[in-house]
Amino acid sequence: MSDEPEGERREKRPDLSAPGRVKGLSSVSNPIIKDIRALGAKKGRDETGLFIAEGLKLVLDAIDTGWDMKTLVVAKSQLHNPLLEKAAARAVALGADLVEASEKVLGAITRRDNPQSAIGVFKQRTVSLDRLDFGKDGVVVALDRVRDPGNLGTILRTIDAVGAKGVILIGDCVDPFSLETVRATMGSIFAVPIARASEGQFLGWRTKFRGLVAGTHMAGTVDYRTPDYAGRPLILLMGNEQSGLSEPLAKACEQLLRIPQAGKADSLNLAIATGVMLFEARRKALAL
Ligand code: SAM
């Protein structure tokens, strides 16, 4: 008899012959694969409320943290990998569809030559502004019309790394659930609460916020190292890549901060500026 707990034992070996659970697919024109491929486009994601995340570790982490997985696509040729088998077992145990596919199909879904061995299809998750939990002294980043998926993904990853509490996407932002953004988050898409708001909604909600609202601005007059960020909640407003913070948002800030620069560069990249700010704001909370 095995020493393993009941749940572990139950999940370990998937019934790969269970009807409706496993499909050996090698054609990119198969309707199931077509539906999953459609999630590569915003229209497909908006219509279904689903998104794709690639990578075995990432899929396992997402399952561990309670994300709702609808389908798991695995590389048939890799099913000897015990971790992949574990992911497959967990998918089946959770009631997700398990699809065995050729590498060509996995590559077509993620538009990659060297696809990962596992692709999860998950239900998107966002929170309302009122559900953001700042705690006593949490930091939330508010992004004004962020347009670049790589920037947004990198910012989500950095928010996760510094232990900040979430992100607010203000106005017309790039989709946080696009393939490129999710890829750039390196798994942090599953760790960072995401709220969306129009500029008007944000400004209305901001009036009730008890904490510091600080924006970064090329015309800021306060050195970003000056404020004492510790001990109170912080909303850190960051501007659009091209045009910076809108005027109404800049006006809503108690302080406009500037990161000093030397040299000829006009400004820092948005994700870099956000990283610099976050490490300063969380300096006291982060210690080795
Ligand atoms: N041309 C834009 C402007 O004038 O605001 C540049 C925008 S910059 C690429 C994107 C955002 O990063 C800015 O709106 C600001 O929030 C932040 N940022 C970049 N460099 C900064 C700096 N040196 N000081 C303060 N914020 C900065």
Side-chain angles (χ1 to χ4, degrees), residues 69-88:
M69 185 166 67
K70 300 296 184 196
T71 306
L72 178 66
V73 187
V74 293
K76 202 174 168 184
S77 61
Q78 304 287 318
L79 266 174
H80 55 268
N81 176 347
L83 260 191
L84 192 60
E85 200 187 338
K86 180 179 168 193

Side-chain angles (χ1 to χ4, degrees), residues 51 62-63 65-69 122-125 177 189-191:
F51 71 104
I63 295 173
T65 47
W67 280 70
D68 184 1
M69 185 166 67
F122 294 91
K123 194 167 181 295
Q124 297 177 20
R125 194 192 281 176
F177 298 106
I189 187 76
F190 297 112

Side-chain angles (χ1 to χ4, degrees), residues 216-218 239-242 244 257-259 261 267-268 273:
T216 54
H217 204 286
M218 301 316 294
N240 165 268
E241 289 97 336
Q242 248 76 58
L257 311 172
R258 173 103 163 106
I259 305 169
Q261 290 180 212
S267 62
L268 295 168

Side-chain angles (χ1 to χ4, degrees), residues 51-69 71-74 81 83-84 86-88 90-91 94 110 112 116-123 125 153 156-157 160 176-192:
F51 71 104
I52 298 168
E54 311 152 69
L56 184 50
K57 180 178 177 304
L58 194 143
V59 163
L60 284 166
D61 286 351
I63 295 173
D64 282 343
T65 47
W67 280 70
D68 184 1
M69 185 166 67
T71 306
L72 178 66
V73 187
V74 293
N81 176 347
L83 260 191
L84 192 60
K86 180 179 168 193
R90 297 198 67 188
L94 291 167
T110 54
R112 279 195 159 188
Q116 305 261 6
S117 60
I119 297 169
V121 175
F122 294 91
K123 194 167 181 295
R125 194 192 281 176
L156 288 167
R157 185 178 175 184
D160 183 16
F177 298 106
S178 76
L179 256 181
E180 296 84 351
T181 307
V182 171
R183 198 173 278 160
T185 70
M186 298 293 287
S188 295
I189 187 76
F190 297 112
V192 177

Side-chain angles (χ1 to χ4, degrees), residues 42-58:
K42 186 158 185 325
K43 184 168 174 275
R45 292 191 297 276
D46 287 349
E47 281 172 5
T48 57
L50 302 175
F51 71 104
I52 298 168
E54 311 152 69
L56 184 50
K57 180 178 177 304
L58 194 143

